[in-house]
Amino acid sequence: MTSQNPSRRRYLLCPPTYFSVDYAINPWMDPDRPVDRPAAQAQWRLLRDTLARLGHRTEVIEPVPGLPDMVFTANGATVVDGRVLVARFRHPERAGESGPHRRWFAAAGFRPVFAAGAVNEGEGDLLVAGRRILAATGFRTSRAAHREAARLLGRPVITLHLVDPRFYHLDTALAVLDDDRIMYYPPAFSLPSRRLLHTLYPDAILADEADAAVFGLNAVSDGRHVVLPAAARSLAHRLHAAGFTPVPVAVPELMKAGGGPKCCTLELRSR
């Protein structure tokens, strides 16, 4: 059971003003499947309001026309102790997001702000877990980016290998709950990575395929409250049994692009 009190967090979000599915760069995206943009905007507002209701500070980066995935701010950077490593996207469709994120962090007073040299998709694949960073490779972020992140962000990096293309980013297959606990979907990882996760986190909450497939692991935790997709009902029960407070939100329109609550939420960690 958890006894840790929730800590107040600061998050960066981006309104889905230009959100659409115009291309397919992950298995969930289908340009022939229409997106209801007003519904997506309402769902995003619900997520933002939920985070605020839990006591967290939310900030907004302005969306840019022609960058429909910019709503997924978690992919834009990784922030540790005020140091920022801005993403370098693998796919050209998203490459234009790096510049607006770099400018936002510079204007907001973050120092230093690094531009990634290696392919690195921010908190999509680099998740801060206490004093370490859990980092994935296999589909988006390169292994070289793990070495770069360790050097620039000053934290040891644990490399994990994703093997199921449905879970193309680490934050679709694993969520950090607090400094010492995580939840994850084992089949998303290679066997050596599963063994490593079991060694590091023997008491982790394990998700089943049904909950993983509705982005149940794409969750935002403040150490007690866990904001996750409403469809992940079984996982919510497991969180409750472990002493966490699940906070369900429905974001089905955003899920059409392969994202959920965590994808829309970049944590701003100050010194």
Side-chain angles (χ1 to χ4, degrees), residues 12-14 19 26 28 40 43-44 47-48 51 69-75 94 124 166 168-169 171-173 211-220 227-232 247 249-266:
L12 181 65
L13 293 87
C14 179
F19 175 67
N26 68 55
W28 307 97
Q43 291 162 19
W44 178 86
L47 173 62
R48 180 197 60 190
L51 294 170
D69 282 340
M70 200 168 158
V71 63
F72 301 124
T73 52
N75 304 148
R94 299 198 66 182
R166 295 176 300 169
Y168 58 94
H169 274 152
D171 69 357
T172 67
D211 283 330
V214 293
F215 289 87
L217 294 159
N218 197 247
V220 181
V227 180
L228 78 168
V247 182
V249 294
V251 290
E253 289 304 309
L254 297 170
M255 288 169 61
K256 291 178 179 177
K262 178 66 189 79
C263 285
C264 297
T265 309
L266 173 61

